[in-house]
Amino acid sequence: MPDAEPSTATDPLRDLGVRSTGDGGQIRVFSASASSMELCLLNDNDSDWVSESVPLTKDADNVWSGTSPQLIPGARYSLRADGPDVPTNHFDPTMHLIDPYARGLARTATGEWRSYVQDNDFDWAGVGKPNVPLDHTVIYEAHAKGISKLNPAVPEELRGTYAGLAHDTAIAYLKDLGVTAIELLPVHQFVSEQRLIKQGLSNYWGYNTLNFFTPHAAYASRSAQFGGTGAVLREFKGMVRLLHDAGLEVILDVVFNHTSEEGIGGPTTSLRGLDNASYYRQDAQGHYIDVTGCGNTVNFASPVAQRLVLDSLRYWANEVQVDGFRFDLAVTLGRDENVDFDPAHPLLEAIVNDPQLAGVKMIAEPWDVGEGGWQVGGFPRGWSEWNDNYRDRARSFWLTDIAAARSTGAAPIGIGQLAAKLSGSSGTFSPERGPLASVNFITAHDGFTAADLVSYNQKHNLGNGENNRDGTDNNNSFNYGVEGQSHDPGIIASREKAIRNLLGTLLLSAGLPMITAGDEFGRSQRGNNNAYCHDSVLTWLPWEREDWQDNLLAVSRTLLRLRRENPALRPVNFGVSGENVPSASQMDWFNKDGVSMSIEDWDSPAERTLQYLAASTPEFEEFNRILLVVHGLESDETVTLPHHEGVSAYTLLWNSAADDASAAEHEPGARLEIAGTSMQLFRAH
């Protein structure tokens, strides 16, 4: 091994990967375990042929470096590493490995992967980030391929691509709907798991990352895939630019918790072959400690693993101009050297405090499958979190509670828990973090769609090849008497109203709402609640709709408009009784008779009706006050609108039980008939 060179930099992990120099390029690669490493420059026409080998030199900070005049944009290269044969290492000096910081990847004729030096040239044409405030943000979770694959207005060669996603018709649809950000399922270069390949299936969702710096090439158009160095990246940047020009933000679902190298017997492509001991959690015998359920877990007690994540985020946020990130199994990123979750973990703190990531939206999936893995509400300030408590309570209130009431004659629980979710989940998130720490959702890519929640009592996953064992059995769904499709008008009407109630709850709650693509018009996956391995019409977004779906889409647009127009629905801070908290909502709660809620009103299964009066305490918008009436039993109810200081009238804005909500005006004290299991929104003035 060459003698170690002294470290002269204040930042020992600076500039990892390839950087251009005046006479070619320099590569820097971390490995604390290797005894030797070389850079392989590969033939332009045959990536298995090494045209030049450059020995790398290790410095005192375990960074290996070297230079070559051939290391220029378009050059293909790989790394080879050797080291001690101990249980925690996995060296093979004959193996071509991917640079963990590679900005470009290409396949060989044999299906292996090679790094190439990226061409980052791109003209942003003066288009910057929209910088949508968090309280105005509405997230639309979608698949980069699936959103446009069936769009007939997109040229066939662009359907299912980054360019197709940014087609004029797709952007117009998103703008007309009223969302502000599209959250893309993983677009880092990924591969299918070995198990799926053997079954003849593929990983459609993409939660099996090969490399953290390269866009998934298969989502680019064919012309970009074969367009030479930088073409795929330019198409991705072009997509971001067009979305930004329309005022839409781009959030990426990122998978740092594990890699596609799987367990010890899985494919070795990069981190395992370069420094297995530093990058992966394992015991002294080399057995992997897996808290992800995916075969391996990246060890974020290691500074180099932390740095890999930060450098990837900086690249996507600054070079590619992405607006935010949703972190898959984010608890894994906060586990310390003892594999315990630490909310003050240096990586979790750095992600939200790094000056290079200022203003970037950070969203945690606040769980993994390890011990102590459920951490909803446990992340530090600056993070928003997926709130599964919100999801489960909203589903139960409108679905399984109603099923139980039909079966036993009484709902199992009152309305109090739903009220806590409507008002921002203050019991889960601290006052310092506020309601926008809660990402509210009814559905996500993982689970039933909204239409399937009201159509199926059980999952139907036989097509996944696992004998219906995969996917959760805890769906909190209700089929209203028939499993699957029904032609009964009563069942159809109940299902459609239930979807309206679910969407109304989501979009009229305090917090940060996320809609799953297609829920706005009732897309179905035929009862499959784990469609990760289906790249087909089952999972692609349909662009042709039935009349009832167009009606539901109109409701979704209305709800999103009402959310925009009424700041009382989207407070930044939690209100405090008796205080005027800026950018909060002052909340008052009334029962069906228009008087303040009693303990029995909150808790009684027989009293599932409330009136939620919220007044904004504005800093940047006009004063606003709304009244939301929620009725959670199937029998109709008479409600007396409450008297409140400063309120002289209530104007109806939306009624989940009616196709149209006339702008009828009512005085305080007026008695209104509220349909069973329905919601009504009023503006109070």
Side-chain angles (χ1 to χ4, degrees), residues 140-146 162 165 182-190 203-207 209 216 219 236 239 250-255 326 328 386 444-446 514-517 523 525 531-532 539:
Y140 188 78
E141 189 200 40
H143 191 282
K145 175 180 180 178
Y162 300 125
L165 189 159
I182 184 166
E183 179 178 304
L184 298 176
L185 269 64
V187 294
H188 288 168
Q189 183 65 59
F190 65 87
N203 186 325
Y204 174 67
W205 287 348
Y207 292 88
T209 307
H216 190 64
Y219 294 161
F236 191 97
M239 173 195 72
V250 180
I251 298 172
L252 301 186
D253 194 334
V254 287
V255 187
R326 178 268 188 189
D328 182 63
W386 276 27
H445 64 276
D446 184 5
M514 183 185 79
I515 301 171
T516 303
R523 182 183 77 88
Q525 288 181 169
Y532 73 103
T539 50

Side-chain angles (χ1 to χ4, degrees), residues 183-237:
E183 179 178 304
L184 298 176
L185 269 64
V187 294
H188 288 168
Q189 183 65 59
F190 65 87
V191 295
S192 293
E193 294 86 342
Q194 299 299 300
R195 173 185 59 82
L196 287 177
I197 294 171
K198 291 175 182 177
Q199 291 179 280
L201 299 171
S202 64
N203 186 325
Y204 174 67
W205 287 348
Y207 292 88
N208 200 43
T209 307
L210 180 71
N211 174 270
F212 300 132
F213 290 85
T214 52
H216 190 64
Y219 294 161
S221 63
R222 185 174 177 81
S223 62
Q225 291 184 47
F226 293 93
T229 305
V232 170
L233 180 59
R234 282 192 293 274
E235 184 171 307
F236 191 97
K237 290 179 177 179

